[in-house]
Amino acid sequence: MKILPYLPDRSGLAYSVGTTLDRFIKLKQSDFPFASGELSQLLRDIALAAKIVNRETNRAGLSNIGGAFGQVNVQGEEQQKLDVIANIRFMRALSKGGEVCAIVSEEEDSVIDLQNSSGKYVVAIDPLDGSSNIDVNISIGTIFSIYRRITPAGSPIQQEDIMQKGSEQVAAGYVLYGSSTMLVYTTGCGVNGFTYEQSLGEFFLSHPDIRAPKSGEIYSVNEGSQLDWEAGIKNYITLCKERRYSARYIGSLVADFHRNLLKGGIYLYPATKKNPSGKLRLLYEANALALIAEQAGAMATDGSRRILDIKPTSLHQRTPLLIGSSEMVQEAEAILKGEDVKSLI
Ligand code: AHG
Ligand code: MN
Ligand code: MN
């Protein structure tokens, strides 16, 4: 009689496509800078809130949670009902876990002190990104950054705990509520993507060790603002057109970023005359995606500075953002600095 050993995974890796998010987090725990298990739990809390927001998103057309909430947020933008719902869901998940001491959210004017001074982590979050797309059934997202507090656990939260550079993030990620729902995150050791299986209620590893193409043929920018751009951006976009690149712009940063990360491309939200610092927020939009970009071999800049090197000075600070395939971002940056376009072709 021949007895064969069961070999479930012939890749030799401890994890492979199909590994559940929970198992993956556990297996990768020793990669974390502080392998205490708290960051693992925090990631699980975020995944749970993402599942709930995913459920609400899928029901949006039926359950009267589409449309405006009737208030504007601190950015002066009209809050959608789902913005408010997503904010509540993430706040609850992050406050119950006990790992987090403070939260910065797009939907909250001030830092939220969770009155849990023993929590070691600070989270910055855009609970619902791309909210203008909710009512028209187009992909939306969540973006999160996780920092370790600087002041000792047990003491009151200080400004320095919140105003950290993006390079200090210990983890960052996004959830994309699209044709599938995906959670993509990094703890500084590469980027992994998980797809949600609705009927099982689980995220499964579907995109291990994501590597962004060095270059691509997609540019993503709101061309309606072209008349307000500075010459460098106009020149770069003209170059994209001369090369017959494809224009793709969803208007949900997470969705545009995700596509370009996988296919190769560049996303630009530049400074305009109306918005000299651009539109996107450093703490809970640009920083998280910049860390993921770099971890996948891509790049993120504000046109002259690495996004992750910018020291924040205010909570809802905006920044121009050029993010995506490294060669494309480098080229756009060179053109913005006035270098000769022709010599770059
Ligand atoms: P939010 O819905 O969180 O306010 O973010 C919207 C952002 C971003 O997702 C998107 O890329 C950008 O705004 C679109 O802005 P424009 O409509 O000006 O192009
Ligand atoms: Mn957003
Ligand atoms: Mn938002």
Side-chain angles (χ1 to χ4, degrees), residues 240-257:
C240 292
K241 290 177 181 174
E242 283 170 5
R243 290 178 178 164
R244 306 297 189 268
Y245 288 175
S246 292
R248 293 284 184 273
Y249 189 74
I250 292 172
S252 293
L253 171 61
V254 168
D256 281 311
F257 173 79

Side-chain angles (χ1 to χ4, degrees), residues 152-170:
S155 62
I157 303 303
Q158 301 294 329
Q159 176 143 335
E160 60 190 294
D161 296 320
I162 311 295
M163 298 298 194
Q164 300 192 50
K165 287 197 269 189
S167 55
E168 301 301 321
Q169 290 170 100
V170 293

